[in-house]
Amino acid sequence: MPDHSTAYIGTAFVAGVCLALTYKELSRSKQDENATEQPRTKDLVARPGPPTIVEGIEGCIGNTPLFRIKSLSDETGCEILAKAEFLNGAGQSSKDRVALSMIEIAEEQGILTPHSGDTIYEGTSGSTGISLATLARAKGYLAHICMPSDQAIEKSNLLLKLGAIVDRVPPAPIVEKDNFVNRARALAKTHTASSGLSPPPSPSAASAEEKADLPEPDESMKRGRGFFADQFENEANWRAHYEGTGPELYAQCDGRLDAFVAGAGTGGTISGVARFLKPLLPKLTVVLADPQGSGLFNRVVYGVMFDLKEREGTRRRRQVDTIVEGIGINRVTANFEAGKELVDDAVRVTDAQALAMARWLVEKDGIFIGSSSAVNCIAAVKTARKLGPGHRIVTVLSDSGSRHLSRFWAKAGDVGGAVDTKLEDVMNARDEDFE
């Protein structure tokens, strides 16, 4: 019996050692398994793109996502893709690219010097001013923005919070000196003249004959020079899209797209993208999306700049007749002309259609956009129907609806619990639907 007890104890001891070794090996195997799993988890969340850390807020501009608008794609049988320019990281619009390009080129030319008291002046309906005001502070400048007084009040409120001086001026045609663009140009000249510094090598410098008509200087003009950004005529505008937006779209689409659809205010986006893409994709159809009251539709289709309500040479109405902000114009700009010959077609979009499309995109996709983006989406649908199913159409979502609450979205109204709107109701929307 004692011998058996000894044997039992010995056997138990050996079994315990084996069990401990087995448990240790299993634990080590589990740790090794977890170690091999961890890199796979990292690979799942890592995405290609710009470096993780960029230099300043300006480093957050560009490389915006391109996504499929599910509802419009499903309804048309085409792949309708949207470039999410409202996700640019400075002023949250496509104008971030333009503002950065204008500032950097001015710096290269010696027109702007950081932290010298130089002030950037611009006449804008809002988004370009917001981008300029943001980047001005980031790069060591001040900003003075002139804008029509009928634009959404949240735009000027935001400009003030960004530290810009804001002039809301009554709407006036470009042929009058009180037009918001002309006022910005004149203020830049006054600033330079009153600073006692030599004028920058740019068209914003005033001649002796012009100085008598310039506004009176104020305290903010005692330092530095005034730089008129001139987004409508400054070629840095279209070049920003030629060097950025166009190449990004080509890469994101793997070189396969059938149509590019965009509105035009200054014309920089459509010209820059068209100039990059057309040589690479000769069969690409470039389509202008134009709101009511704008003359660009007729400029493309008939070769003459006029609106239905006015004859060529008589363009003295106070304002483009539309609730849409940011696109649509009744004059020729250098940026639009830079790519006009590459624009194949144009689509007219009414205010009612834009309002209905904005509501549709919230209802169906949870996409909250501004007025010009809604115009682009209507034109994208019309283009898809014209080309037929199976095509890929790319458009631009320029900015968020949050900048259009007090005007455009006030008229569009609350979407509420709507879930069953038909696309035909959007495309056939009438003004009385929003009265």
Side-chain angles (χ1 to χ4, degrees), residues 6 189 192 209 216 218 371:
T6 303
K189 293 175 180 178
T192 297
E209 292 79 12
E216 288 296 318
D218 59 32
S371 57

Side-chain angles (χ1 to χ4, degrees), residues 47-387:
R47 298 179 184 275
T52 304
I53 300 175
V54 296
E55 186 67 20
I57 192 71
E58 59 268 36
C60 302
I61 297 172
N63 293 306
T64 53
L66 182 70
F67 69 94
R68 179 177 180 269
I69 302 180
K70 294 183 288 186
S71 67
L72 299 183
S73 298
D74 293 345
E75 288 282 342
T76 61
C78 287
E79 192 174 28
I80 296 182
L81 307 178
K83 185 72 165 154
E85 287 294 274
F86 59 87
L87 295 179
N88 272 302
Q92 290 82 56
S93 81
S94 59
K95 296 301 185 179
D96 280 358
R97 300 177 187 266
V98 176
L100 184 61
S101 178
M102 292 191 297
I103 291 173
E104 289 183 338
I105 290 176
E107 289 175 335
E108 291 170 7
Q109 296 174 347
I111 298 172
L112 284 174
T113 304
H115 308 291
S116 64
D118 286 352
T119 298
I120 301 169
Y121 292 82
E122 184 59 303
T124 167
S125 61
S127 288
T128 302
I130 292 166
S131 296
L132 280 171
T134 303
L135 291 170
R137 286 292 177 168
K139 294 176 72 64
Y141 306 105
L142 298 175
H144 191 131
I145 305 302
C146 300
M147 63 188 302
S149 58
D150 62 352
Q151 301 299 288
I153 192 67
E154 51 266 31
K155 293 181 181 181
S156 56
N157 287 344
L158 179 55
L159 283 165
L160 291 170
K161 297 297 184 289
L162 289 169
I165 297 172
V166 182
D167 285 342
R168 288 179 66 95
V169 300
I174 192 65
V175 294
E176 296 181 7
K177 71 174 185 177
D178 293 331
N179 173 271
F180 63 104
V181 174
N182 295 336
R183 177 167 174 77
R185 180 188 292 108
L187 285 168
K189 293 175 180 178
T190 295
H191 188 142
T192 297
S194 64
S195 69
L197 300 173
S198 59
S202 78
S204 65
S207 66
E209 292 79 12
E210 292 174 314
K211 287 180 180 178
D213 295 327
L214 297 182
E216 288 296 318
D218 59 32
E219 288 297 314
S220 68
M221 297 179 177
K222 289 184 177 180
R223 293 182 62 241
R225 296 183 297 195
F227 167 64
F228 176 48
D230 200 11
Q231 61 169 326
F232 291 91
E233 310 301 327
N234 191 334
E235 288 196 350
N237 184 338
W238 70 259
R239 289 187 182 279
H241 297 288
Y242 177 82
E243 296 172 1
T245 316
E248 288 173 29
L249 287 174
Y250 187 80
Q252 289 169 320
C253 291
D254 293 324
R256 190 181 74 79
L257 61 157
D258 301 297
F260 175 69
V261 179
T266 63
T269 302
I270 197 167
S271 289
V273 171
R275 287 181 68 140
F276 180 84
L277 291 180
K278 274 282 196 175
L280 299 173
L281 302 167
K283 294 183 179 180
L284 178 74
T285 300
V286 177
V287 181
L288 169 74
D290 209 32
Q292 65 184 53
S294 172
L296 293 178
F297 173 89
N298 292 309
R299 178 69 171 162
V300 171
V301 176
Y302 303 113
V304 180
M305 175 70 83
F306 69 95
D307 181 61
L308 297 174
K309 298 181 180 180
E310 55 187 341
R311 295 181 294 108
E312 176 74 356
T314 64
R315 297 184 299 276
R316 298 187 65 84
R317 287 187 301 114
R318 303 300 292 181
Q319 177 72 336
V320 172
D321 185 22
T322 179
I323 196 172
V324 173
E325 298 178 6
I327 60 172
I329 196 171
N330 276 321
R331 63 184 174 92
V332 174
T333 67
N335 279 287
F336 184 74
E337 290 299 294
K340 186 187 80 67
E341 296 306 316
L342 301 175
V343 179
D344 302 290
D345 199 3
V347 174
R348 262 291 191 208
V349 179
T350 67
D351 280 355
Q353 288 173 323
L355 292 162
M357 176 57 74
R359 291 175 56 90
W360 164 278
L361 289 171
V362 170
E363 176 186 334
K364 305 297 185 182
D365 300 274
I367 301 172
F368 184 52
I369 54 171
S371 57
S372 61
S373 300
V375 170
N376 287 346
C377 288
I378 287 284
V381 170
K382 290 187 177 183
T383 301
R385 289 179 169 181
K386 186 173 183 177
L387 294 178

